[in-house]
């Protein structure tokens, strides 16, 4: 569905991404793992131009859209890319002055210019899908963190994207709310949504992802199917990361 080639990104002379390549098939779930500062979030933000890569390219394999980041990107191409992808953020990024329902309706009404009646019906169905049909008229301040993030997921689905980008969707949640969000993501994976998820939830990545990408220092260190990645890692840096992760999980269990 999508080929990503040689993505580079600098911030104030610091090279954060050093040539990232990734191919994604329709319906594939890709989990991106790695230590803090490895470039995971920057890479994700580059995919819908929240950050402008310095070089590299995106190619939709159906021939509908090609973007060369070394060239000036037209507004039309920028809008076309953003209409084909949705982002779910760490901190929810809901409009505080809009209800849950209005947050879900915002994109299709404002960006896609669809009718309010049509969008309202679908938005209510999406809130029901994420278990929030009774919260439609509540504002973000009246919702728990897990509920806000589920509204964020419903909002991402509302524009019917080809690709959903999720940036550590559980990292800002209290432990009691993590499970409810992960259950929704498991449901979306089972339904065949194409997703790239930056996450630190190892068991979730193992259970749900088709492909694991491990990044460190702005490069892809290892890429493999989930089973082989966790059971038979190939690179020493990957093995070290997984051992450290297991040690942290054990310490958390013992507290």
């Amino acid at each position: 569905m999508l080929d990503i080639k040689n993505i580079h990104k600098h911030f104030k002379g610091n090279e954060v991404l050093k040539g990232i390549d990734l191919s994604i098939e329709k319906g594939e779930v890709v989990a991106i793992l790695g230590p803090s500062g490895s470039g995971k979030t920057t890479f994700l933000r580059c995919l819908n131009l929240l950050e402008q890569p310095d070089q590299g390219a995106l190619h939709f394999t159906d021939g509908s859209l090609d973007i060369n980041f070394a060239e000036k990107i037209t507004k039309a191409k920028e809008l076309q890319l953003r209409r084909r992808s949705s982002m779910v953020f760490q901190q929810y990024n809901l409009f505080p002055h809009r209800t849950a329902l209005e947050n879900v309706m915002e994109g299709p009404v404002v960006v896609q210019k669809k009718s309010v009646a049509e969008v309202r019906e679908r938005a209510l169905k999406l809130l029901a899908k994420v278990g929030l049909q009774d919260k439609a008229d509540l504002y973000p301040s009246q919702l728990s963190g897990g509920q806000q993030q589920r509204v964020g997921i419903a909002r991402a689905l509302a524009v019917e994207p080809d690709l959903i980008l999720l940036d550590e969707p559980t990292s800002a949640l209290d432990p009691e709310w993590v499970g409810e969000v992960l259950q929704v993501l498991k449901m979306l994976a089972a339904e065949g949504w194409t997703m790239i998820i930056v996450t630190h939830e190892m068991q979730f990545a193992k259970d749900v992802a088709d492909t694991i990408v491990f990044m460190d220092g702005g490069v892809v260190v290892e890429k493999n199917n989930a089973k082989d990645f966790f059971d038979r890692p190939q690179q020493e840096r990957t093995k070290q990361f997984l051992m450290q992760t297991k040690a942290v999980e054990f310490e958390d269990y013992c507290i």
Side-chain angles (χ1 to χ4, degrees):
M1 184 187 86
L2 177 64
D3 288 330
I4 302 160
K5 299 291 186 184
N6 198 34
I7 300 296
H8 287 256
K9 179 64 180 175
H10 294 75
F11 289 107
K12 297 180 178 179
N14 179 35
E15 190 174 21
V16 177
L17 300 177
K18 303 174 182 178
I20 305 296
D21 297 328
L22 184 64
S23 293
I24 302 157
E25 299 297 329
K26 185 174 178 59
E28 185 177 11
V29 178
V30 178
I32 302 181
L33 310 180
S36 297
S38 59
K40 307 183 299 296
T41 291
T42 298
F43 173 63
L44 205 67
R45 290 171 65 86
C46 283
L47 298 185
N48 69 348
L49 294 176
L50 289 175
E51 300 289 352
Q52 172 74 55
D54 299 315
Q55 66 182 86
L58 292 180
H59 168 68
F60 281 86
T61 55
D62 62 3
S64 60
L65 180 61
D66 290 291
I67 296 179
N68 183 347
F69 293 118
E71 301 173 352
K72 181 176 176 57
I73 300 170
T74 65
K75 193 66 175 178
K77 281 194 172 184
E78 181 180 332
L79 288 173
Q80 192 177 355
L81 177 61
R82 287 183 172 165
R83 284 171 179 160
R84 299 191 68 169
S85 65
S86 286
M87 188 94 169
V88 177
F89 300 90
Q90 294 181 39
Q91 301 292 342
Y92 327 134
N93 283 22
L94 301 179
F95 294 108
H97 59 291
R98 299 192 185 279
T99 65
L101 179 61
E102 289 167 342
N103 267 282
V104 177
M105 293 176 63
E106 180 82 9
V109 170
V110 175
V111 178
Q112 297 179 329
K113 309 301 182 185
K114 293 183 177 180
S115 74
V116 171
E118 173 192 357
V119 170
R120 178 183 173 83
E121 181 180 358
R122 174 164 166 74
L124 286 169
K125 289 179 179 178
L126 288 172
L127 285 173
K129 185 185 188 75
V130 299
L132 294 174
Q133 60 268 38
D134 59 337
K135 309 293 184 185
D137 296 325
L138 297 185
Y139 291 89
S141 61
Q142 298 173 296
L143 301 173
S144 71
Q147 289 168 341
Q148 290 186 64
Q149 192 60 292
R150 282 186 281 157
V151 172
I153 293 169
R155 179 179 62 181
L157 297 175
V159 296
E160 302 181 77
D162 295 313
L163 176 65
I164 305 174
L165 308 170
L166 301 104
D167 182 19
E168 299 205 23
T170 62
S171 66
L173 300 178
D174 289 341
E176 63 185 305
W177 298 327
V178 170
E180 63 189 46
V181 172
L182 294 183
Q183 281 302 119
V184 170
L185 297 181
K186 287 180 181 180
M187 174 185 67
L188 298 183
E191 291 179 355
W193 289 89
T194 309
M195 296 186 282
I196 304 178
I197 308 173
V198 171
T199 184
H200 60 275
E201 299 285 348
M202 297 293 123
Q203 190 60 50
F204 168 75
K206 189 173 185 179
D207 292 344
V208 175
D210 301 295
T211 303
I212 306 290
V213 174
F214 174 57
M215 289 180 61
D216 192 22
V219 301
V220 173
V221 176
E222 186 160 345
K223 174 182 176 239
N224 211 333
N225 67 76
K227 180 173 175 53
D228 286 343
F229 179 87
F230 285 102
D231 293 348
R232 290 179 289 276
Q234 300 300 302
Q235 303 299 321
E236 285 303 316
R237 181 65 186 97
T238 310
K239 295 175 185 177
Q240 181 187 41
F241 173 77
L242 292 175
M243 288 295 294
Q244 289 172 338
T245 302
K246 289 177 182 177
V248 169
E249 289 175 348
F250 180 75
E251 288 173 4
D252 290 343
Y253 174 80
C254 292
I255 291 174

